C-alpha cells in the first residue's frame, strides 16, 4: 500500500484517537499509545504535545516505521517529519476544529511550537 484509500482516510480522520506503535531497533512494536490524529486532504498527521520529550515520538523519529490503528483501520506506516510551515498551519487548524470540544487546556498544547516541531505524517506501507 502506498496511499491511503478514501475509506481509510474517512475512518481514521473521524476517529477520536489513534493507537500508535513505533518499531524498536529489532523490528518489534512498542506498546500501543493512544494519541489524537487529524486529516488534511489525503494525508493523516499525529503530534506529540510534549514535543520530542515523548517516548513514542523519540522512538518514531529514531526508527520511522511502525503500526497505527483507528476507526477499524490497521496499517503499517512510515513516519515522516513535517517541517513545512504551511502544512503545520493546516494541521493546527485541523486540531483546533476536530478537538475544540475539549477546550483550550487540551488543544493549545497540540498547536504550540513544541508540538508543531513533533508533527509526523503517516505514510502507509
Amino acid at each position: 500500500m502506498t496511499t491511503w484509500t478514501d475509506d481509510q482516510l474517512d475512518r481514521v480522520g473521524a476517529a477520536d484517537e489513534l493507537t500508535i506503535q513505533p518499531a524498536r531497533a529489532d523490528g518489534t512494536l512498542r506498546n500501543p499509545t493512544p494519541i489524537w490524529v487529524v486529516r488534511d486532504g489525503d494525508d493523516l498527521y499525529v503530534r506529540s504535545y510534549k514535543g520530542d520529550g515523548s517516548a513514542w515520538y523519540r522512538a518514531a523519529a529514531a526508527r520511522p516505521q511502525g503500526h497505527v490503528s483507528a476507526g477499524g483501520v490497521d496499517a503499517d506506516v512510515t513516519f515522516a517529519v513535517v517541517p513545512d510551515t504551511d502544512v503545520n498551519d493546516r494541521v493546527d487548524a485541523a486540531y483546533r476544529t476536530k478537538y475544540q470540544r475539549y477546550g483550550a487546556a487540551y488543544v493549545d498544547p497540540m498547536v504550540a511550537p513544541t508540538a508543531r516541531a513533533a508533527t509526523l505524517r503517516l505514510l502507509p506501507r
Side-chain angles (χ1 to χ4, degrees):
M1 175 187 330
T2 58
T3 59
W4 296 107
T5 67
D6 288 338
D7 180 60
Q8 290 171 320
L9 288 166
D10 290 344
R11 290 165 59 191
V12 175
D16 205 40
E17 288 185 332
L18 170 139
T19 57
I20 191 165
Q21 294 178 271
R24 295 182 180 95
D26 67 3
T28 61
L29 297 175
R30 294 172 50 90
N31 290 332
T33 301
I35 59 172
W36 285 354
V37 59
V38 295
R39 177 182 178 178
D40 177 49
D42 291 338
D43 295 310
L44 298 168
Y45 297 92
V46 295
R47 284 182 172 166
S48 167
Y49 80 94
K50 293 181 180 179
D52 62 7
S54 172
W56 74 260
Y57 180 82
R58 286 192 312 272
R63 188 166 198 277
Q65 294 183 352
H67 187 84
V68 296
S69 300
V73 175
D74 286 295
D76 292 325
V77 295
T78 298
F79 306 114
V81 175
V82 181
D84 186 281
T85 300
D86 291 336
V87 171
N88 269 299
D89 289 346
R90 293 194 311 269
V91 171
D92 284 353
Y95 272 104
R96 285 186 180 106
T97 299
K98 183 174 181 180
Y99 295 106
Q100 67 183 338
R101 70 187 179 278
Y102 292 103
Y106 292 97
V107 177
D108 286 356
M110 294 303 295
V111 298
T114 303
R116 282 176 61 106
T119 302
L120 297 175
R121 180 177 170 204
L122 305 177
L123 303 165
R125 302 189 266 126

